[in-house]
Amino acid sequence: VQLQASGGGLVQAGGSLRLSCAAFGFTSDHYAIGWFRQAPGKEREGISCISSSGSSAYYARSLKGRFYISKDNAKNTVYLQMNSLEPGDTAVYYCASQETTWISWAMCYKSGFFGSWGQGTLVTVSS
């Protein structure tokens, strides 16, 4: 099971980025995928997750509806569309997977729920 996160970069406040999480070695339609981020000096926080089928998605309230998660099982890839980016969104973003047919936010906002992790991609938002 391998995950590869990509799509990070430098963007001005108010801009958008789309992160990708490509899965290798397993079929993503059996796995829930979560996105986490870790800013310098802060703990890793769960920001979004999506069920194995892609039919259920959850978000941290702090995002205020600015991010959108989607899943393309045919491409074994999960996306995180990030809009109206703010300097406070600056962090390393990680994707993670866990084989499960059902999730809830109470489960997937916790990093300990996920068994496999990608390497992270850096997002820097300038003011």
Side-chain angles (χ1 to χ4, degrees), residues 37-52:
R37 68 184 181 186
Q38 188 165 18
K42 294 187 177 180
E43 294 186 353
R44 189 171 299 188
E45 64 169 331
I47 56 174
S48 184
C49 61
I50 192 165
S51 63
S52 56

Side-chain angles (χ1 to χ4, degrees), residues 6 13 19 27 38 45 57 59 81 86 89 92 106 110 119-120 126:
S6 62
L19 305 184
T27 51
Q38 188 165 18
E45 64 169 331
Y59 302 89
Q81 178 67 42
E86 303 168 351
D89 295 317
V92 177
K110 301 173 183 176
Q119 84 289 1
S126 63

